Amino acid sequence: QVQLAESGGGLVQAGDSLSISCAVSGRTLSGYAMAWFRQPPGKEREFVAAFSRTGSYTYYRDSVKGRFTISRDKDKSTLYLQMNSLKPEDAAIYYCAAGSGVITSEIRNQRAYASWGQGTQVTVSS
């Protein structure tokens, strides 16, 4: 069983940068697709970024391409999301997710992920 714990959220100003982390326990990242999702206030949870199961490919939501970078440290079993040039519309609760059977066509589908963290709040002031 994979356990996920996010950290690093906070309050920043528009244009600032912030890095959030997801500590993985229970097993290593090998063979798991890992993703970040977010839920803005009053909205549905949405895909942000992901690694394929092999770790060879990354995927991003169009609105964050060029600003956000997903990375991982397999030795430390940690997933990261570096967020630059933050905008007020990036404000949300950010969730880390893991899935062992996630295929490429489902990489952006939250239902494909079996394990979730508790979330970390990111607030962006204008």
Side-chain angles (χ1 to χ4, degrees):
Q1 185 72 16
V2 177
Q3 290 86 43
L4 308 173
E6 303 92 338
S7 62
L11 171 64
V12 297
Q13 292 187 333
D16 284 353
S17 297
L18 187 68
S19 180
I20 56 178
S21 303
C22 173
V24 181
S25 60
R27 63 160 295 147
T28 67
L29 297 177
S30 179
Y32 273 69
M34 299 293 301
W36 289 99
F37 287 80
R38 68 185 182 187
Q39 186 166 16
K43 297 184 178 181
E44 298 293 318
R45 190 157 57 185
E46 60 189 26
F47 171 79
V48 177
F51 266 111
S52 64
R53 283 185 297 169
T54 63
S56 300
Y57 301 97
T58 56
Y59 305 85
Y60 292 94
R61 181 179 190 79
D62 285 347
S63 63
V64 308
K65 284 181 182 177
R67 299 189 299 121
F68 289 13
T69 302
I70 188 172
S71 63
R72 66 184 193 177
D73 183 332
K74 289 184 354 182
D75 291 339
K76 294 184 179 180
S77 294
T78 305
L79 185 72
Y80 303 95
L81 186 67
Q82 175 67 42
M83 302 180 287
N84 298 328
S85 302
L86 281 160
K87 304 176 181 181
E89 53 264 40
D90 294 318
I93 300 174
Y94 282 73
Y95 297 91
C96 174
S100 61
V102 182
I103 58 177
T104 301
S105 61
E106 295 293 322
I107 203 82
R108 294 174 174 82
N109 185 352
Q110 59 180 306
R111 295 182 179 86
Y113 296 85
S115 301
W116 292 83
Q118 81 288 350
T120 186
Q121 179 75 52
V122 173
T123 304
V124 184
S125 63
S126 58

